[in-house]
Every structure is written in structure tokens, then in C-alpha cells.
Amino acid sequence: MHPSRAAEGAGLGEKLSPAAVNHILMEFLIYFGRAVAVFYPVYLTGYLGLSISWVLLCIVMINWWKKNRKWKDVRIGTAIQFVDNEKIVINKELQSALQMASWVNFPDVEKVDWVNKVLEQAWPFFGMYMEKLLKETIQSSVRQSSPALKMFTFTKVHFGHIPLRITGMKAYTDEVDEREVVLDLHICYDGDVDIDADVKPPITAGVKGLKLQGMIRVILEPLIGQAPLVGGVTFFFIRRPTLEINWTGMTNLLDSPAFSSLSEETIIDIISSLMVLPNRMSFPLVDQVKVDQMRFPLPRGVVRVHLVGARDLMAKDTYMMGIVKGKSDPYATVRVGNHHFKSKTIKENLHPTWNEVFEFVVHEAPGQELEVELYDEDTDKDDFLGRYQLDFGEVKKEKLMDQWFPLEGVQNGEVNLKLQWLSLQTDSSLLKESTDGYACAMLAVYLDNASNIPKDHHEITHHHKGKHSNEARLKRKTANPNSFVEFSMDEDIQKSKVVYASKDPVWEEGFTFFVHSIKTQQLIVQVKDHDKKTPLGVFNLPLIRLLNVSDMTLDQCFQLERSGANSHIKLKATLRILTEEKPPPKVIPKVIPNPQVNPQTPQTTQRGNGNPSSSALSPNTIPGTQTPSTVRAATSQNGSNDDSALRYRGSAEDRLPSSISNMRRYDSHSLLSENSIASSRFDLTDGASYPEVIRSHQGSFGEIHLTVRYATLRNKLFVLVNACRNLFRCSDTGTDSYVRLYLLPDQSWRHRKRTHVKKKTINPVFNDKFEFDVSLEEATSRKLDISVKNNKMFHTREKKDIGMVLIDLSQLDLTKGSAGWYELTLPGLQKSS
């Protein structure tokens, strides 16, 4: 206890006021009355000579009443929670029970019932094609893969009567080249597949039932001026699909929990090697289209991911049978397509700092996503701590992002990521080798084919002996080699698929490598035998050689060393310099003169003109939190690049006149009006003031993410309140917040829109959509007034606002839609830098 408080308590013990004495006496009488009410029935039962069963019966009745009351309170609480979060609960239940289509949640994803009708009509013929493919092509490949599978035979192939369904389709028009069409198809297949096979008598295997979900990207390119108008079709999975299989026969063992995930993961890996980026399936429709450009085009760029750290993670480690909560041992997994990395584990820390850097080749942006998952490392099973996904299209647009991202799937937690977009250039003068171990260039290799590969190492030996080679062929006849190619650059080793029984194998695969020193590194290419792993030919390509050729590209046949005299390998090697791009310049907001303000009245200076009080806050300044020193150092190195993150920043106004007509607002970007009256003041009690904790707060009040779009077909303006982050913490448990909207000049209660309340969080997720019945012409002349409020008032006469944003819709392209983060400000409050 604090000494002053102890002294006060001692003083109160010596001199008690009459009110304090009455309070103590009343508490004693209540305690005495409760004791009499409990023990008097027991005394009365003994005094009257009644059986002890009456006492037990009373105890049972009391316990039953308490339990019933408890369940009643739980039901009432659940009902109240359902009313407060009705939309979220219903959407969650429908998504889990009905598997809602993607177009229900995403307005830009279209419903394509006509395509499903075509698939339903063509499904029997697709089954015929797959039966022919499995029996004529796949069956022979399986037999050649291993001597133990020489008797493998498909005995039954039936793809059932339930066709594949496309639950949504999105077409890209603005983000792609004019000579291509890009479609994203959300597929869902829950079919009655029935496939049986004889592995080796009496061993049988089969599949009866298959579930597959994922998103396939279809690219039609190039568009040409002659039939069939499209030069080729390419399709692939951007992310790994999900798969569930019902096994039959001897493979029914794979349905057990110990093997089901293993078997399905193995099949997913096979699918990924064929159809998940960077792997593609391409079908040229005209002869002029090059297959290598379709199957392995040059990547869009490279993203350097700096995993800085995390904060406010959940404590998963417990002691004494869960009574005492400990901390967590967090680590992170970073995945892009098939490439994934795992960070180091930080022991017993809810605010870990990793400071690890990963580099990923980006083939599709937008499209490819960065997936970050955090886990608590345990001896048995690692506990989930949250995940975050980010489309690389945003990184490509912003060039540099350095911010905290809220973790999904958990109650609290954030991860700090610094992402940098690196473009691919052919100018050798831009080459800058890093001393921090970062890549300075990227090498893309397209492996086409090889010719006259020797059957084995003995044929190479006999070839060098010359005259004895013909005698050796007569004495020993061997099958054609099963070969694959191994690429190696220092410690980075990548292998191609295996081509069985062919002296002229065709691979048609692509590979990418990060280069750290062009002058010293070289690419080692080895053609190897699959069974014995012995080399059948070797070729070394110094990377310095690519700097002096046209377009830094070599596309030709290369003679293999330590191989046959006519053994060649055909490949295409392309070198690109990694170059850091500067973020797009920030648009300085323009001051719109207010006719109500006297021109001679001194106005506050615009932000950026040297006034220290109007400087923007740092993107990483979060109230109530403390960033690790290493993270602060990484942030301070960015300088002015902090403004490149995906957000619209702003600063509070310096001074605010007492008259409402003279109010000025300094909100973010040119999207916001600076001299408009914030209508959120009109729904407040006159003369009300902000709470002391808000008036004394120095820092950001948080940000809100909004999506504004006009639907021309429905003649409605849609405003989607997505989420808020880093809101002002009104209590130790967080903030009970909601969002209020007005479409100015309508300010009556009838035109008032508001979201539901999100309790005890400073990173609420609303996902509430609001509609306004206005024409497009009228919408462009309106302003959107948005205020984030605290549901629990500090005092009845105090304002409930946490922050406000005013958006001038005339500055937005409403038909295309606009989405972004906006900083919350409070007019009338002066914040120091």
C-alpha cells in the first residue's frame, strides 16, 4: 500500500463519521441476517425432530436453483451477444454450414451459373477423357517409375455424376496488359469419384470420393487478330488447394488420422509441382507462340520480406494443470506458394523480435500472397498464435511497406513486417552487391530438353575407349536412361522431374536462383541417372558471361562435358538486376477556401511548411505500446519512406477557432476536404468536452479502413467499414467501439448509419456494409462524415468520439472504387509532434 494511503486509512480508523458508522452497522446486520437465514432452518429441523432428509432436500433444491439460474444467465448472455453481433454470427454459421460462394462475400467476384451448366453438360465427356488419360498415359508412367509397380493397372475409372462447380469468377481489366485476359476461378469439387487399381496382386487400391477447393487463374494470351483470337491458354493455382480423399482397398489405411494428412499432403505436393506457381500448365493454340514464354515467363519482380517481430501475442504455455498462465515460445512460418521458411524460436516472450529477412520471387501481382503464421513451439503439438495474409499487388503498388499487421484467427496480437518491392532490370550499371547478404540479381533458367544422353556411366567410359565401344554394346544391352537435371549454385540445389526411358528427354521446366556475387558465382548443371544418381553429363555456366550478352540472356544448346560426343542440353538462362524502387510521391493536400471564413483572418499553416506542431505522426507510433529497440532502429532507417505504407496519413489541426463556421480540418491526402465542418459535432451535447484522458493523449488515435464504391447497375453508393486498428485505448481491456456515418448534408437521425459494437479491442473488425440511395452525379457532390465512438462514455457530459474522418467523394473514382486506411483525428485538440 502507498504510504499516503496507509496514513489516510489510519486516520479514518481513529475518527469515523456518523455515515461511516451507519454503513458498518448496516453491513453487520445484513451479514447477521444471512447467517440466521442459513442456520435457523437447520436448528428448526433438529428442534422439531425432523429427518435429515429434509436438510438434504433443501440443499438439492438450492443447488438446482443456482444451476438453473446459471444456465438461464448463459442463454440470456448468448442471446444478447447474438443481437449485438447478428451479422457476424449468421455469416460465420452460413459459411461453415452451407459453404457460401465467394461472390457472396466479395462484390467484385461474379456469379457464373451458365459456366456450371456447361460443365454439367460436358462432365460425362470429361470423364471419358480422364479415363483415357489415366489408362494410356498415367498408367505407363507409374509402371516405369519403380520395378515394384510393373503390374500396376487401372481396373475402374469413373468420375461420377457430380460435376466440378465454379463458385465465383473475377476478371481483371485494369491491372493487366491489353493483349491478355486474366480470370480467377474459385472452384469447388465434391464428387463421387470411383477409381480402382491393382498395384500388385493381391494388393488393390482405390479412391471413392474426392473434395477439392481452390482458386485457379486462367490467362488467355496473347490476343491475336485471327482465329481463334487467343494464342494460348495458361492456368495454374496461385495458392495450394485443399484436398480430402476417401481411400478404398489396401489404401483404406490412409484414412486413419495418422496417415490421412500425410497422404493428402503428398498428393498436394504433386499437384503443386504441376499447377501451383511458379509451375503452370500451358496449351498453345497457334504455332507462332513460344512454349517457354507461356510456361515460364519472366517474374514480375522480387519482394524482400523483413520479419521484424510481434507483440501482444497470446500466452499458450500453462502450469499447474492450466491454473497458472505462462508465456509462449513463438516462431513464425513465412510462405509464398511452395516456398516456405521458418524463423528461429524465441523462448518465453510475448513480444518477440526476430529480425530475419526472406526473399521471394513474385510471378503474379496481384494474385500471389504472403502467408505469415505464428506458432507456440511445444514438445507435442505447436499452438496456433495467429496468421496474416497480404497480396503482393499492394507491395508492388506501394514499393515499401513497414507497419504492424493485426493477426487473424486470434483475439489479439500483431506482427511487424517490412516489405520492399525490387524490380528486374537489364542495366548492368545498376548492379550493387550487398554486404548484408541480400541478393543483388536473379537468375531465371528454363530447362527445355537434352539429346543423345548416354545410357549409363559405362557407356561414357566405353565411348572414351573408342574401339571397344561397339563390342560393349553387343555384349550388353541396356534400356534408355531415366534422367533428371540437378542445378546448383553454392548451397541452393534444385532438381527437375524425372523423364523415364529416353535418350532425348524433354523437361520444359523453369527455375529461379538468387545471385549474391555475379563475378564469382556460376551455375552447375548436371544430368544424372535417377536410379544410381551418377552424372551423365555436366555443364558449368559462369554468371559473368551473361553480363556481356544481349538482354542478359543465353538461349541455345550447350555441349555436355563428361558425356557423349553428341550429348547436348538446351536451356535458356536470363539474368536480371534487382533494383530498389522509390515509393510514389505523396500528394500534398490542397487547401479549399471556405467562403464563410474572412480572408483577412490568419489561418493555420499547411502541414509540411515548417510548423513543428503540424508534422505527421510516425506510422509506427502506437499509444500504450513500446516497440523493441531493434525494431525502432529498422524503422528509423526508412526516413521519409514510412509514408509509402498502404494508408492515408494526416495530422491534427494546429488551432481551432471557437466558432464552428471557422473550423479547419487537416485530414489525409487530397481525398479529404480540409475546410469542411465535421457534422459529427451536431449529434453531441452542446458544450460537451473530450475526456481528460483523450485531451492529455499525445499520439495517434488510430486508423480506419474504408471501401467506397458506386454500383451503377443498382444506382447506390456502397460504403464498407472494414476495420480499425490501433485505436485509442479507453480502458485496460481495450475499447468498446462502433462507427457512425453521415452522408452530408443529411444529418438527421433518420439518415444516421452505425455499425455494431466491438467490445474490448483496439483492432476491431466490423465488415459492415451500408447503402445510400443517391445518383452518381449527386454522390460526387456529397461528403462522407465518419466518426469512431466509444460505446462506454467516460461521463454523461463528455464526448464519445475517438476520432473522425471527412471524405470528399468528388475526389474519388466511385465507379472503380477506392479502399484504404485513413487516420483518425479529433478537431479542437492540439497534438505535439
Side-chain angles (χ1 to χ4, degrees):
M1 183 180 293
H2 196 274
S4 61
R5 295 182 181 178
E8 292 176 2
L12 289 175
E14 295 175 359
K15 296 180 181 180
L16 293 177
S17 63
V21 174
N22 293 335
H23 181 70
I24 294 175
L25 291 176
M26 185 58 66
E27 287 186 350
F28 174 75
L29 291 175
I30 293 174
Y31 177 79
F32 180 77
R34 289 178 179 175
V36 171
V38 172
F39 291 106
Y40 182 73
V42 180
Y43 168 77
L44 188 62
T45 302
Y47 179 78
L48 298 176
L50 299 178
S51 173
I52 192 65
S53 301
W54 290 98
V55 178
L56 297 177
L57 180 62
C58 292
I59 294 175
V60 171
M61 292 297 293
I62 292 173
N63 289 333
W64 175 83
W65 179 83
K66 288 184 177 180
K67 186 176 181 181
N68 185 55
R69 184 68 182 178
K70 178 181 177 181
W71 284 110
K72 185 177 180 180
D73 293 340
V74 170
R75 291 194 299 269
I76 294 175
T78 304
I80 294 175
Q81 184 180 5
F82 174 75
V83 172
D84 292 340
N85 306 281
E86 181 178 2
K87 185 175 180 180
I88 294 179
V89 174
I90 292 177
N91 286 341
K92 185 177 179 180
E93 292 297 327
L94 287 176
Q95 288 177 358
S96 60
L98 303 180
Q99 293 295 328
M100 293 175 66
S102 56
W103 60 268
V104 176
N105 297 318
F106 305 99
D108 53 351
V109 179
E110 301 177 2
K111 185 180 179 181
V112 284
D113 282 340
W114 65 272
V115 178
N116 293 322
K117 293 179 180 179
V118 173
L119 290 175
E120 183 177 3
Q121 192 74 11
W123 191 252
F125 301 94
F126 173 78
M128 296 168 58
Y129 168 76
M130 290 301 299
E131 181 179 2
K132 182 178 180 181
L133 177 66
L134 291 175
K135 290 186 175 181
E136 296 183 1
T137 304
I138 304 299
Q139 180 174 291
S140 59
S141 299
V142 173
R143 289 179 175 179
Q144 295 175 1
S145 63
S146 174
L149 298 176
K150 290 184 178 180
M151 302 298 293
F152 182 87
T153 305
F154 285 105
T155 57
K156 181 181 180 181
V157 177
H158 180 60
F159 272 76
H161 304 284
I162 302 176
L164 175 76
R165 290 190 58 81
I166 298 178
T167 58
M169 181 178 70
K170 179 179 180 180
Y172 293 89
T173 55
D174 299 331
E175 301 91 346
V176 298
D177 189 78
E178 295 180 354
R179 297 192 60 188
E180 66 179 2
V181 176
V182 179
L183 304 173
D184 282 347
L185 305 180
H186 300 263
I187 64 170
C188 178
Y189 179 59
D190 188 0
D192 50 347
V193 177
D194 191 2
I195 301 177
D196 294 330
D198 289 337
V199 180
K200 186 177 182 181
I203 301 176
T204 61
V207 175
K208 193 169 186 178
L210 179 67
K211 292 182 180 180
L212 178 67
Q213 284 186 338
M215 185 181 71
I216 291 183
R217 172 161 292 187
V218 180
I219 300 179
L220 309 177
E221 65 170 348
L223 301 179
I224 56 180
Q226 60 186 19
L229 300 181
V230 178
V233 180
T234 303
F235 57 91
F236 50 84
F237 285 101
I238 293 181
R239 292 175 293 276
R240 292 161 61 94
T242 59
L243 179 67
E244 294 182 16
I245 301 176
N246 183 21
W247 300 96
T248 60
M250 290 295 293
T251 54
N252 194 36
L253 178 64
L254 298 176
D255 276 334
S256 61
F259 296 97
S260 60
S261 60
L262 177 63
S263 61
E264 291 165 3
E265 281 294 323
T266 303
I267 297 177
I268 286 294
D269 289 340
I270 297 174
I271 296 176
S272 300
S273 64
L274 299 174
M275 292 183 60
V276 177
L277 279 177
N279 305 300
R280 307 165 183 242
M281 297 192 71
S282 303
F283 300 94
L285 303 179
V286 294
D287 297 335
Q288 292 81 2
V289 176
K290 294 184 178 181
V291 179
D292 61 323
Q293 294 181 357
M294 290 187 61
R295 296 189 177 178
F296 192 68
L298 275 179
R300 308 285 185 180
V302 172
V303 171
R304 184 171 292 155
V305 180
H306 186 184
L307 178 64
V308 182
R311 66 185 178 191
D312 299 332
L313 299 181
M314 298 183 64
K316 292 292 185 177
D317 295 337
T318 57
Y319 307 97
M320 298 179 63
M321 301 183 66
I323 299 177
V324 180
K325 283 191 175 182
K327 295 185 178 181
S328 295
D329 305 325
Y331 69 90
T333 60
V334 184
R335 175 188 292 271
V336 177
N338 290 330
H339 302 281
H340 64 279
F341 300 95
K342 178 182 176 182
S343 72
K344 59 186 177 183
T345 302
I346 308 297
K347 296 294 184 180
E348 297 184 357
N349 198 330
L350 299 181
H351 309 278
T353 300
W354 291 289
N355 277 332
E356 298 186 32
V357 180
F358 311 97
E359 294 173 321
F360 297 97
V361 176
V362 180
H363 296 269
E364 293 293 328
Q368 275 187 286
E369 289 185 347
L370 171 70
E371 303 175 22
V372 180
E373 293 186 344
L374 272 62
Y375 292 93
D376 170 38
E377 188 175 63
D378 290 324
T379 55
D380 47 0
K381 182 180 180 181
D382 296 343
D383 297 320
F384 179 70
L385 294 177
R387 70 166 56 89
Y388 186 80
Q389 295 180 341
L390 177 67
D391 195 303
F392 280 139
E394 299 183 16
V395 185
K396 182 181 179 181
K397 178 181 177 181
E398 299 296 328
K399 309 305 181 186
L400 180 66
M401 300 178 67
D402 185 3
Q403 61 191 77
W404 290 90
F405 297 95
L407 295 175
E408 302 172 355
V410 291
Q411 295 179 353
N412 56 277
E414 293 178 299
V415 61
N416 188 9
L417 299 174
K418 179 181 177 182
L419 304 106
Q420 187 175 18
W421 179 268
L422 305 174
S423 61
L424 307 179
Q425 304 293 335
T426 57
D427 188 0
S428 58
S429 62
L430 299 175
L431 178 62
K432 296 180 181 179
E433 296 184 1
S434 173
T435 58
D436 299 327
Y438 301 152
C440 64
M442 184 209 68
L443 177 66
V445 180
Y446 178 75
L447 174 63
D448 194 342
N449 60 70
S451 59
N452 298 319
I453 298 298
K455 298 178 181 180
D456 51 24
H457 186 69
H458 296 284
E459 183 176 342
I460 299 176
T461 305
H462 294 319
H463 165 72
H464 290 295
K465 289 182 179 180
K467 60 181 181 180
H468 301 289
S469 59
N470 293 330
E471 298 177 1
R473 288 195 187 93
L474 294 176
K475 293 181 179 179
R476 181 181 180 183
K477 184 177 181 180
T478 59
N480 290 328
N482 303 327
S483 58
F484 69 95
V485 178
E486 179 181 283
F487 297 93
S488 60
M489 183 182 296
D490 294 339
E491 298 180 358
D492 189 2
I493 300 175
Q494 301 183 35
K495 299 179 181 179
S496 71
K497 64 183 179 182
V498 180
V499 177
Y500 296 96
S502 176
K503 288 180 64 67
D504 303 313
V506 178
W507 291 283
E508 294 183 343
E509 289 185 83
F511 307 88
T512 56
F513 298 87
F514 286 112
V515 181
H516 298 83
S517 176
I518 296 181
K519 297 180 181 180
T520 59
Q521 287 184 295
Q522 62 178 353
L523 179 68
I524 302 176
V525 183
Q526 298 183 72
V527 182
K528 291 188 174 183
D529 182 74
H530 174 61
D531 300 322
K532 300 179 181 179
K533 302 297 186 296
T534 55
L536 302 177
V538 181
F539 169 71
N540 295 338
L541 176 62
L543 301 186
I544 191 67
R545 179 178 172 185
L546 294 171
L547 283 178
N548 303 321
V549 297
S550 176
D551 197 35
M552 294 187 180
T553 302
L554 286 175
D555 185 5
Q556 63 186 65
C557 292
F558 298 94
Q559 175 70 43
L560 290 174
E561 301 176 359
R562 287 177 282 174
S563 185
N566 297 321
S567 298
H568 295 82
I569 185 170
K570 184 179 181 181
L571 55 84
K572 179 180 179 181
T574 303
L575 185 68
R576 288 293 182 263
I577 307 301
L578 300 184
T579 306
E580 300 179 2
E581 293 191 3
K582 296 183 178 180
K586 185 176 181 180
V587 180
I588 301 177
K590 298 181 180 179
V591 177
I592 303 175
N594 191 346
Q596 297 180 353
V597 179
N598 188 354
Q600 298 178 358
T601 304
Q603 300 292 337
T604 55
T605 57
Q606 187 178 349
R607 160 183 156 183
N609 292 341
N611 190 349
S613 63
S614 63
S615 61
L617 296 172
S618 172
N620 294 336
T621 304
I622 309 299
T625 57
Q626 189 173 5
T627 310
S629 58
T630 54
V631 179
R632 287 200 301 269
T635 305
S636 63
Q637 292 175 0
N638 295 333
S640 60
N641 291 341
D642 288 343
D643 290 334
S644 66
L646 184 60
R647 61 182 75 185
Y648 301 103
R649 307 295 298 177
S651 62
E653 52 192 317
D654 296 334
R655 306 176 68 90
L656 187 74
S658 58
S659 174
I660 294 181
S661 61
N662 292 334
M663 288 181 179
R664 291 177 57 94
R665 296 189 52 147
Y666 284 87
D667 289 325
S668 56
H669 234 269
S670 60
L671 304 180
L672 305 180
S673 173
E674 298 182 351
N675 292 72
S676 303
I677 300 175
S679 68
S680 57
R681 298 163 182 77
F682 298 116
D683 59 356
L684 299 171
T685 305
D686 293 337
S689 62
Y690 295 110
E692 176 62 27
V693 290
I694 289 184
R695 283 188 277 116
S696 61
H697 174 64
Q698 301 294 333
S700 173
F701 291 98
E703 295 173 301
I704 184 171
H705 191 275
L706 302 171
T707 302
V708 184
R709 184 175 63 88
Y710 189 85
T712 55
L713 295 178
R714 301 180 61 184
N715 291 326
K716 289 186 177 182
L717 177 68
F718 290 93
V719 178
L720 179 63
V721 181
N722 299 299
C724 295
R725 64 184 179 192
N726 304 324
L727 291 180
F728 175 78
R729 189 183 296 270
C730 297
S731 64
D732 295 336
T733 58
T735 301
D736 297 349
S737 58
Y738 67 92
V739 181
R740 191 270 303 132
L741 299 89
Y742 282 126
L743 185 62
L744 300 183
D746 298 331
Q747 302 167 6
S748 63
W749 287 102
R750 184 168 58 89
H751 299 95
R752 183 174 181 264
K753 309 281 187 182
R754 61 167 288 177
T755 66
H756 59 282
V757 179
K758 299 297 291 185
K759 297 182 178 181
K760 298 180 181 180
T761 177
I762 61 173
N763 299 301
V765 178
F766 298 101
N767 286 330
D768 285 345
K769 185 170 67 175
F770 302 97
E771 301 178 2
F772 297 92
D773 293 324
V774 292
S775 63
L776 180 59
E777 182 179 359
E778 184 180 0
T780 54
S781 63
R782 298 286 196 100
K783 292 182 176 63
L784 192 63
D785 182 20
I786 298 172
S787 177
V788 181
K789 295 177 176 288
N790 177 27
N791 191 48
K792 291 183 179 180
M793 299 177 63
F794 296 93
H795 189 268
T796 55
R797 295 284 297 175
E798 292 177 335
K799 294 183 179 182
K800 300 164 62 175
D801 297 80
I802 302 175
M804 305 176 187
V805 168
L806 189 67
I807 301 178
D808 189 355
L809 299 182
S810 62
Q811 303 297 324
L812 302 181
D813 189 350
L814 297 179
T815 56
K816 292 184 179 180
S818 175
W821 288 98
Y822 299 87
E823 184 177 5
L824 299 172
T825 60
L826 283 177
L829 293 184
Q830 181 177 358
K831 296 188 298 182
S832 63
S833 58

